Amino acid sequence: MPQVTLENLPQILEHDTKVKVAGVDIDGILRGKLMSKKKFLSIVPSGFGFCSVVFGWDMHDQTYFKELKISNAENGYRDIIAVPDLSSFRRIPWEGDVPFFLVSFLDPDTGGPLSACSRGLLKTVCERLEERGLRAMAGDKSGSNLFYRGSKDPHPPYQDLAHLSDMGRHFLAGLLSGLPDVMPIVAPTINSYKRLVENFWAPVTVSWGLEHRAASIRVIAPPTASPKATRFEVRVAGADANPFLVLAAILGLGWRGVDKKMEINLPPLGKGEDVGGASDKGVRLAKSLKEATATMMREGSVARDVFGDNFVEHFCGTREHEIRLWDEAVTDCVPPVVVDNYKPKGTYIDLDGMQCYKTGPTAATSAIFIIYDIFGFSDQALQGADILAHADSSQQYRVFMPDFFLGNPMPRDVYPPDTDAKKKMLGDFFAGPAAPPKTAKLVPELVKKIAGTQEGKGVQKWGSLGMCWGGKIVSLTSQSGTPFSASAEVHPAMVDPNDAKGFTIPVCMLASGDEKEDDVKAFKDALKVPNHVETFKDQVHGWMAARGDLKNDRVKEEYERGYKTLLDFYHQHL
């Protein structure tokens, strides 16, 4: 392909009548137009006006729900400047060999790269290196490799770094330091995080290692590679990412490490060591786009330091749009609910004389401990356990539900307690086998006991779920010293704001219309941990467990929505 200049451009296009131009939007999609050759030649030197709405809508051409600074109704989706990059000249074979040029977007007020333009962002980062007389290469074998150490370091901080130069080490340190803060760039969609799960060779933590193909950053260097091939393979980014943004992130983070002479404080993963396993000391990367976006947007994030506030605010605003679309979508992630005669998918295990329902794949590394309501193993509770175990295809769970009442639950017809006899039965039950403090003491012991069984072996994180009476037990066992990483309560009994003050883990509370509104509000207000508190106002106490009349279409609908909400919560926090 000939080098294109302003001088030889007319000659190169001599036999053409039209030219295609396109710029890259925030999602990495080409947005362009076809123009006459005459028009194109006239705008090459200084560029042309291009509607900024390409940075004001998503990949489906739907405008963002949040008005962003660059393109919005108030500024009339004003034009930005698009300047053709002559070095990007190609012909498109499947469109009659029409000539094609990429454009870069400039801010009409400053004349500099538009903050949201991914090509401009990459150019800005590259210029930081050029100021030091350096150039960055991706997939290029020319030039001098500055990551290679001329001779082996006899005393490296880690053996995996023996052949890596000081610059290479600083660059790697920068990548490790900033990776959690740029996750929305390398994993930009809701579905990106369905790939990033344990046990599938996926990079789920901040991790690195020489020739480690499951770590976030694979170091390729001698003695397993030739010196000139020394490089880093950043393995978190997926095919759904904008490549210009990904390259800008890698260069920006790495150069930050070089500029600050950062040191690597995280040991490498050894051969055969699992990412996310007991020996992995790296922090867990975000499990959802929502979590990743909040991390990137926070004040003082590495992303703000590397890319500036304008880019972070715009880009994260676009991700908030994706999150909102997902939150508002009605999906079929919860399987069809069986309204009668449910056949459980799990089995029962024995815990020294106590039966325990167990469901879910044995390969799952997270588990949910369910404390049922006072009516015991109801079809609705068992079906809920199976939904939690299997419905999230990207993050399944082992679910355990012990029989606290040893086969003697409260009869169903005692509720509602509308007679003195029923009230006495309930009172005696709560003072006896269902006494909350007594049950709460059993919970940590049962978690340990389950973990010691074949069915519980390998569980790394535990969540809890309490139904009705079980909600109170969850409140008591979510305090300091809890064995759980996240907890949930559905239509909880005995809601107490004083319990909320002591929570040390994220919590989800799904209240019914029967719980006192003031108590639920006070509980939420007292929480100091991440939380999701919601009231299903037209549902009765117990609708997600034994008292849920699933033959009623409305109850069934809210039963499904309740379990989907729990799945979303556990996906983010467990």
Side-chain angles (χ1 to χ4, degrees):
M1 193 70 67
Q3 182 178 0
V4 182
T5 65
L6 280 174
E7 290 71 27
N8 68 9
L9 182 59
Q11 180 183 351
I12 290 173
L13 302 180
E14 181 180 2
H15 302 294
D16 297 293
T17 60
K18 55 191 176 183
V19 177
K20 196 166 193 177
V21 297
V24 183
D25 74 5
I26 205 71
D27 292 301
I29 297 172
L30 290 176
R31 303 285 189 172
K33 62 173 64 178
L34 197 65
M35 62 175 63
S36 71
K37 181 176 71 173
K38 181 179 179 181
K39 171 70 173 178
F40 176 75
L41 292 174
S42 71
I43 57 87
V44 167
S46 56
F48 62 101
F50 203 109
C51 184
S52 64
V53 76
V54 295
F55 292 105
W57 62 22
D58 62 18
M59 63 181 70
H60 302 293
D61 298 350
Q62 179 178 336
T63 53
Y64 298 126
F65 77 90
K66 181 179 181 180
E67 291 279 77
L68 301 178
K69 183 178 179 181
I70 293 172
S71 179
N72 52 63
E74 185 176 345
N75 68 19
Y77 300 101
R78 67 173 186 166
D79 275 0
I80 50 182
I81 306 301
V83 179
D85 179 355
L86 297 185
S87 68
S88 68
F89 171 57
R90 297 291 187 274
R91 289 188 179 273
I92 306 177
W94 55 89
E95 293 187 20
D97 262 2
V98 65
F100 172 80
F101 294 85
L102 285 171
V103 301
S104 294
F105 295 110
L106 305 182
D107 188 319
D109 295 327
T110 67
L114 191 73
S115 61
C117 175
S118 54
R119 282 172 53 82
L121 189 71
L122 179 57
K123 180 182 179 183
T124 299
V125 173
C126 287
E127 286 173 349
R128 295 175 191 168
L129 278 70
E130 290 171 4
E131 290 171 0
R132 301 276 286 271
L134 304 174
R135 291 184 64 202
M137 299 291 184
D140 193 305
K141 297 181 180 179
S142 63
S144 175
N145 193 323
L146 299 178
F147 289 160
Y148 172 63
R149 197 174 199 89
S151 58
K152 181 180 179 181
D153 185 348
H155 304 292
Y158 304 105
Q159 282 302 317
D160 287 15
L161 299 174
H163 292 276
L164 206 62
S165 68
D166 289 347
M167 177 180 282
R169 295 174 185 181
H170 295 323
F171 196 95
L172 176 57
L175 290 175
L176 295 169
S177 171
L179 184 57
D181 287 10
V182 299
M183 280 298 290
I185 289 178
V186 296
T189 70
I190 293 292
N191 284 337
S192 300
Y193 297 83
K194 295 182 179 180
R195 177 179 67 89
L196 301 176
V197 294
E198 286 81 359
N199 300 320
F200 287 94
W201 281 36
V204 298
T205 64
V206 175
S207 51
W208 68 282
L210 181 67
E211 289 294 354
H212 202 299
R213 294 178 182 273
S216 294
I217 302 172
R218 173 189 172 205
V219 177
I220 302 171
T224 57
S226 66
K228 65 181 181 180
T230 301
R231 64 194 187 277
F232 301 117
E233 181 182 271
V234 182
R235 302 186 60 259
V236 185
D240 51 357
N242 181 331
F244 293 99
L245 291 181
V246 171
L247 288 172
I250 292 172
L251 283 177
L253 295 180
W255 190 248
R256 176 175 178 266
V258 173
D259 196 45
K260 294 178 178 291
K261 291 184 167 51
M262 299 177 71
E263 300 296 331
I264 300 169
N265 300 314
L266 178 70
L269 287 177
K271 299 295 187 295
E273 291 183 347
D274 292 332
V275 173
S279 59
D280 187 351
K281 305 302 181 184
V283 299
R284 179 58 161 89
L285 295 171
K287 291 186 174 183
S288 67
L289 182 59
K290 186 174 185 178
E291 179 186 350
T293 301
T295 299
M296 185 173 180
M297 284 192 77
R298 79 183 194 285
E299 185 177 349
S301 75
V302 175
R304 291 186 182 276
D305 183 30
V306 173
F307 305 123
D309 291 336
N310 285 340
F311 170 77
V312 171
E313 291 297 328
H314 179 88
F315 181 73
C316 288
T318 70
R319 297 312 94 187
E320 288 179 323
H321 175 80
E322 296 294 323
I323 295 163
R324 176 167 172 172
L325 290 179
W326 169 250
D327 287 343
E328 293 177 350
V330 178
T331 70
D332 58 357
C333 73
V334 173
V337 170
V338 179
V339 301
D340 199 12
N341 296 318
Y342 181 71
K343 299 296 187 293
K345 296 179 179 179
T347 59
Y348 291 86
I349 61 174
D350 181 74
L351 301 176
D352 295 334
M354 177 185 288
Q355 290 290 96
C356 177
Y357 182 71
K358 184 268 175 185
T359 184
T362 55
T365 57
S366 295
I368 299 172
F369 183 96
I370 295 182
I371 306 164
Y372 56 26
D373 62 17
I374 60 173
F375 305 116
F377 289 134
S378 64
D379 282 355
Q380 299 93 320
L382 292 171
Q383 184 169 194
D386 288 338
I387 289 171
L388 292 175
H390 299 283
D392 187 342
S393 60
S394 65
Q395 186 170 312
Q396 296 185 320
Y397 307 94
R398 282 182 262 183
V399 178
F400 299 90
M401 189 184 336
D403 185 10
F404 286 96
F405 303 140
L406 304 176
N408 295 296
M410 178 63 63
R412 304 277 178 88
D413 59 4
V414 81
Y415 209 90
D418 48 11
T419 67
D420 289 341
K422 290 181 179 180
K423 291 176 183 177
K424 185 177 186 308
M425 285 182 67
L426 276 175
D428 292 344
F429 196 70
F430 283 121
K438 171 186 172 184
T439 307
K441 288 182 180 179
L442 290 176
V443 170
E445 299 173 11
L446 287 172
V447 170
K448 287 183 180 179
K449 193 171 290 186
I450 293 171
T453 66
Q454 187 62 37
E455 291 80 4
K457 184 179 179 181
V459 173
Q460 297 174 9
K461 295 180 73 175
W462 287 86
S464 64
L465 169 62
M467 302 171 170
C468 305
W469 159 83
K472 180 65 174 180
I473 312 304
V474 163
S475 283
L476 296 177
T477 55
S478 296
Q479 313 288 312
S480 178
T482 178
F484 304 113
S485 299
S487 62
E489 307 179 15
V490 296
H491 33 77
M494 297 170 272
V495 177
D496 187 347
N498 290 318
D499 292 337
K501 296 176 183 178
F503 267 69
T504 59
I505 55 176
V507 61
C508 175
M509 175 184 281
L510 305 183
S512 75
D514 290 338
E515 278 77 73
K516 292 182 179 178
E517 186 176 345
D518 289 344
D519 288 348
V520 173
K521 183 179 184 304
F523 186 95
K524 176 175 175 57
D525 291 344
L527 289 169
K528 300 175 183 178
V529 295
N531 64 84
H532 176 88
V533 178
E534 181 179 358
T535 298
F536 290 60
K537 293 185 178 181
D538 63 348
Q539 296 304 301
V540 300
H541 180 77
W543 96 92
M544 289 179 67
R547 297 191 66 230
D549 178 11
L550 299 182
K551 294 180 180 178
N552 181 300
D553 288 344
R554 178 58 181 165
V555 175
K556 177 185 171 185
E557 177 184 351
E558 292 297 79
Y559 177 92
E560 291 175 346
R561 187 167 76 88
Y563 279 101
K564 181 186 182 300
T565 302
L566 291 179
L567 284 167
D568 290 343
F569 171 78
Y570 287 126
H571 189 104
Q572 181 175 355
H573 295 290
L574 191 56

